[in-house]
Amino acid sequence: MTYYHTYLVKFGLIFSFGGLLACEELLIEEPKTVAVEVFYNTAEEVETAVNAIYSPLRSTRAEQIAILDAHTDWGYGRGSRAQYNDFAGLNPTNINTAGSRWDSFYQAIRNANLVIANAPEGDNISQENIDLYVAEAKFLRALSYFDLVRNWGGVPLRTENTMLDIDLPRSTVQEVYELILSDLLDAETHLPQNPKDLGRPTLYAAKTLLADVYLFLEKYGDARNKALEVIQSNRFSLVPISSKEDIQWNIFGPELMTSPEEIFYLKYARELGQGNWMLFVLNHPSTGYFNFGGAYAHYSDATNPFYAEWEDGDIRKELWDQIDFGLGPTTLVSGKYVDPNAVDRLGAGNDLPIYRYAEVLLIFAEAEVRSAGNIGQGAIDALNQVKRRAYGFASQTPSPVDYQFDQNEVDSFLDAVLQERAYEFQFEGKRWLDLKRTGRAQEMIMKNKGLEIAEAHYLWPIPLQETNFNGAIDPATDQNPGY
C-alpha cells in the first residue's frame, strides 16, 4: 500500500508529524502523533505539520542522488545497483526501489497538502504565519513534483483538492509543471529573506528552484532573470578552497551549520536517526573518511574518458581515490562527503545540498547565453567564477584557467557550462537530468561508456503499488515505455 493510500485509511483518525528540536536552530524532525480534528489551530501546531514534510524527503534524498549518478557517463553502481550500468531499463529489484522513492515523494506531497488545506482554517494563528507555512509547504510540494516529473514523466497530481481521490489519472508533463510554477510563485511571494531555522527555504530558494524549473522548460529569459535576482541580492558567495580538504570540510563538512554558498540544503546531524547515510553508500573502509566503513556501492574508473580528459589541477578531481576492491586498479571511489566521527553508519552529520550558489551562477550563465543567442561578459564571468574556485583561485579575480570565448561561440560555451556542471555537482544528482534536458544523454553515454540507451531507461516505471490501487491508471496503456 502506498503512503497515499495509507493516508486515506488514516484520514480523520491520527497522523504522524515531525516535531521541531532546538539544535542550534537546525531543523530536525521527530515524530509526534496528533488528532487531525484538533490540529492546525496555532502556529506551533502548523509548524509541526510542516516539519513532517521534510522527513520523507530527507529519508530518500541520498538514495535518489546515488541512483541518478549511477545513470551518468562517469558513474557506476555495484552489487544490485550494477544493473544501472547497462542502460537497458530497470530490473524487478530496482523497479521496487524506484517505487520506494515514489512513495517518499508522495508522502511529502500528502503532508504538504494537509498543511495547505488546513492551515487557513486555524482559529489561533495569524494570517502572516498562515501565509508563511503554506508557502513553505508549497515550496516542498513543488520540489517533490519536480523530482517526480523529471524521472517518471506525467504523474497523478494529488493536491489539497484531490487528495481524497483514489482513482486519479496521470496528468500531462505540462500540467505537472503548471502546478510546480504556481506553487513556487506563491512561495516566492511569502517566504522570508532569512530562514526561521537553518534548513527552511527562503524566497531565494524559491527563486533558485524557479530558475531551475524555467531552465528545464526552456524558458531561458525567465531562468536568467530569477538566477540574476539571487546573484544581485549579494547574499551568497562561493567558499574559497585551496585543497580537497577545503571542499570536504568547508563546503560539505559534517560540522558545518551553514555557509555563504548554501541556498537550500536538507539538514542532517550526528544523532541517531538524524544522520546522512550517503557516506556509508559511497565510502570504502580503507579511506578513513567514515568511521563505520562503507558499502562502496557507487564508483567511477580512471580509464573512463570523462575522468581521463579531466584536467589535472582541478581540485574537484582530487576527491576521487583510486582503490582496487576487486574491479581493477583503476577503480575510483568518491571522497566528497567525509565524517570520521559519525555516531553510527546512518549517523553522519553532512547536509545534502539541493541548491548551492555555484548552481545559480551556472544556471545564469547558460540561460543568459541561450536567451541572448550570443555570449556576453556577464555569462563568461559567472562561468569563470566556478572554474576559478575549482582550481584554488579567487573566484572574482581573472585567473590563468579562465575560459575565453568569442561572442558567437555559443555551442562551445554551452558545452563548457555542461561540463562544469558535471564536475561541480558529482553526487548531487544533477548530471543525468542535465543530459536528458539538453538532449545529450545518448551522445555522452556513448562517448564515455560506449553504450546505447534503451528507451525504457529514460523514465522510471509507474510503481506496481500505484497501478494496483489507482483504478485510473491502466498498467497496459498508461505505463512508461518499456515496462
Side-chain angles (χ1 to χ4, degrees):
M1 184 175 292
T2 65
Y3 284 115
Y4 168 67
H5 296 100
T6 301
Y7 156 72
L8 289 178
V9 173
K10 292 184 177 179
F11 187 78
L13 299 175
I14 62 172
F15 295 87
S16 290
F17 291 102
L20 185 64
L21 289 178
C23 178
E24 297 182 47
E25 298 184 335
L26 176 69
L27 181 66
I28 300 176
E29 305 80 23
E30 284 192 346
K32 291 183 179 179
T33 299
V34 294
V36 71
E37 61 270 19
V38 298
F39 209 58
Y40 305 103
N41 289 317
T42 68
E44 291 76 15
E45 290 170 347
V46 174
E47 183 178 277
T48 299
V50 170
N51 295 345
I53 308 169
Y54 289 88
S55 295
L57 296 179
R58 290 172 72 249
S59 70
T60 201
R61 174 55 57 176
E63 178 70 358
Q64 178 82 343
I65 288 172
I67 296 307
L68 286 172
D69 280 0
H71 285 57
T72 60
D73 51 339
W74 56 261
Y76 303 86
R78 193 175 72 88
S80 64
R81 300 157 190 257
Q83 186 264 340
Y84 298 121
N85 303 339
D86 60 22
F87 288 88
L90 304 187
N91 60 20
T93 296
N94 290 309
I95 286 173
N96 288 338
T97 59
S100 297
R101 296 192 297 279
W102 167 285
D103 284 352
S104 293
F105 290 125
Y106 271 108
Q107 185 185 16
I109 288 166
R110 176 203 65 183
N111 293 348
N113 287 338
L114 289 168
V115 172
I116 295 165
N118 292 306
E121 305 303 318
D123 57 18
N124 192 22
I125 181 173
S126 68
Q127 188 62 49
E128 180 182 6
N129 277 326
I130 290 172
D131 291 342
L132 171 65
Y133 290 124
V134 168
E136 188 171 354
K138 287 187 174 182
F139 173 88
L140 296 170
R141 183 170 73 175
L143 182 65
S144 300
Y145 272 122
F146 195 34
D147 267 303
L148 285 165
V149 74
R150 290 179 296 171
N151 291 296
W152 281 274
V155 297
L157 274 183
R158 303 199 180 279
T159 69
E160 70 275 20
N161 299 317
T162 62
M163 61 185 178
L164 295 179
D165 296 344
I166 295 176
D167 299 330
L168 199 63
R170 295 180 69 175
S171 293
T172 65
V173 168
Q174 179 181 349
E175 289 167 339
V176 177
Y177 273 112
E178 286 172 356
L179 177 67
I180 291 170
L181 290 175
S182 175
D183 277 355
L184 289 177
L185 290 169
D186 185 74
E188 181 187 27
T189 300
H190 296 292
L191 287 173
Q193 291 193 36
N194 300 303
K196 179 176 179 288
D197 309 288
L198 295 178
R200 295 192 187 278
T202 64
L203 67 89
Y204 300 107
K207 290 178 186 294
T208 301
L209 182 49
L210 271 168
D212 199 14
V213 172
Y214 284 137
L215 194 69
F216 272 80
L217 292 174
E218 300 181 357
K219 296 184 175 182
Y220 299 122
D222 291 330
R224 170 201 177 276
N225 292 341
K226 288 301 170 188
L228 188 60
E229 288 174 21
V230 178
I231 293 169
Q232 291 181 338
S233 73
N234 294 318
R235 288 173 171 263
F236 306 97
S237 61
L238 297 178
V239 174
I241 65 169
S242 59
S243 67
K244 75 173 186 178
E245 288 78 17
D246 287 337
I247 299 177
Q248 292 169 325
W249 289 94
N250 298 337
I251 299 179
F252 303 104
E255 297 172 358
L256 281 176
M257 294 298 293
T258 188
S259 80
E261 194 158 336
E262 177 177 331
I263 292 178
F264 183 68
Y265 290 16
L266 290 180
K267 294 293 182 177
Y268 298 83
R270 283 176 178 158
E271 296 184 22
L272 294 175
Q274 298 292 348
N276 179 358
W277 78 296
M278 173 72 89
L279 282 74
F280 183 78
V281 174
L282 299 185
N283 186 61
H284 189 275
S286 69
T287 65
Y289 293 148
F290 185 55
N291 54 321
F292 286 92
Y296 48 103
H298 294 268
Y299 65 97
S300 189
D301 195 282
T303 64
N304 183 308
F306 181 98
Y307 183 85
E309 295 169 5
W310 196 344
E311 289 182 359
D312 293 335
D314 188 330
I315 301 170
R316 298 169 298 191
K317 186 178 182 181
E318 298 173 18
L319 293 172
W320 289 99
D321 293 300
Q322 204 157 307
I323 299 171
D324 187 355
F325 53 77
L327 296 179
T330 57
T331 307
L332 301 168
V333 176
S334 175
K336 186 168 186 172
Y337 302 102
V338 306
D339 187 356
N341 298 304
V343 296
D344 68 3
R345 74 175 194 169
L346 306 181
N350 311 70
D351 299 333
L352 281 178
I354 309 301
Y355 287 108
R356 300 191 278 122
Y357 186 58
E359 186 158 12
V360 175
L361 291 169
L362 294 176
I363 289 175
F364 171 77
E366 178 178 348
E368 164 75 1
V369 169
R370 288 189 185 276
S371 61
N374 56 63
I375 304 169
Q377 192 58 47
I380 294 178
D381 287 344
L383 175 60
N384 278 330
Q385 283 186 53
V386 177
K387 186 175 183 183
R388 290 167 188 155
R389 192 269 294 271
Y391 284 75
F393 294 106
S395 63
Q396 298 285 352
T397 305
S399 78
V401 300
D402 282 7
Y403 288 107
Q404 304 289 335
F405 295 99
D406 291 335
Q407 184 180 27
N408 296 318
E409 293 181 298
V410 170
D411 289 343
S412 296
F413 181 89
L414 295 176
D415 286 346
V417 172
L418 187 64
Q419 197 63 37
E420 282 302 315
R421 289 181 62 89
Y423 294 147
E424 184 69 24
F425 303 126
Q426 292 186 338
F427 290 112
E428 296 180 50
K430 309 286 184 177
R431 176 65 167 174
W432 174 241
L433 300 174
D434 281 342
L435 292 178
K436 289 203 300 180
R437 75 171 171 83
T438 58
R440 305 287 297 279
Q442 181 55 76
E443 173 195 349
M444 301 309 292
I445 297 301
M446 177 57 68
K447 175 184 180 294
N448 293 322
K449 287 186 172 178
L451 294 171
E452 296 281 350
I453 304 175
E455 184 180 20
H457 207 79
Y458 283 99
L459 292 174
W460 298 333
I462 304 300
L464 181 63
Q465 64 265 33
E466 182 70 33
T467 58
N468 280 346
F469 283 92
N470 185 345
I473 296 181
D474 184 344
T477 58
D478 299 328
Q479 185 56 272
N480 282 333
Y483 296 99

